[in-house]
Amino acid sequence: MEQRKGARCATDLHAVVSCPRFGLFRGAVENVSLKGVYVRTRNVNMCVNVPVTVTLQADADDPDSCCEASGIVVHQDLDGFGVRFTDMDARCQRLLERSLADM
């Protein structure tokens, strides 16, 4: 069942996901919106409803292009997992708005 409330756009953002229960995971952001993100990780099994912190990075070589958002895992499959954002700072909001505008 589709639960998404808004279109997501394909992107080339990078992500590091921190989960107190399962540790750190690095992945590629397959698609993103202001409400959520799908992180392609392969071989990582996340549980639905687990809280996570997602660090998004626009440029892997530029640490200033990073921001963090908190969220809840809402979907998991063989290739990765979807996160619905629950909180993000203004910097992350601007990064996502800029990334979405460029697409």
Side-chain angles (χ1 to χ4, degrees):
M1 174 188 283
E2 182 68 36
Q3 297 179 7
R4 196 175 296 162
K5 301 249 192 296
R8 291 191 183 174
C9 296
T11 182
D12 60 354
L13 294 172
H14 305 278
V16 175
V17 180
S18 172
C19 176
R21 207 165 165 190
F22 299 110
L24 287 173
F25 304 100
R26 179 173 289 281
V29 176
E30 184 170 295
N31 58 60
V32 67
S33 76
L34 292 175
K35 302 284 185 187
V37 63
Y38 182 84
V39 181
R40 181 171 295 281
T41 56
R42 300 192 195 254
N43 301 323
V44 172
N45 293 317
M46 293 291 288
C47 295
V48 173
N49 295 323
V50 169
V52 295
T53 301
V54 180
T55 303
L56 298 170
Q57 190 170 13
D59 181 355
D61 297 325
D62 180 8
D64 290 331
S65 70
C66 288
C67 71
E68 285 188 356
S70 299
I72 301 289
V73 176
V74 293
H75 169 77
Q76 192 273 324
D77 61 29
L78 293 175
D79 293 324
F81 52 91
V83 174
R84 180 176 14 111
F85 295 135
T86 57
D87 188 41
M88 73 175 64
D89 59 23
R91 182 179 179 169
C92 199
Q93 182 88 17
R94 286 190 306 272
L95 174 69
L96 289 178
E97 287 172 350
R98 192 170 48 243
S99 294
L100 293 168
D102 289 344
M103 295 174 208

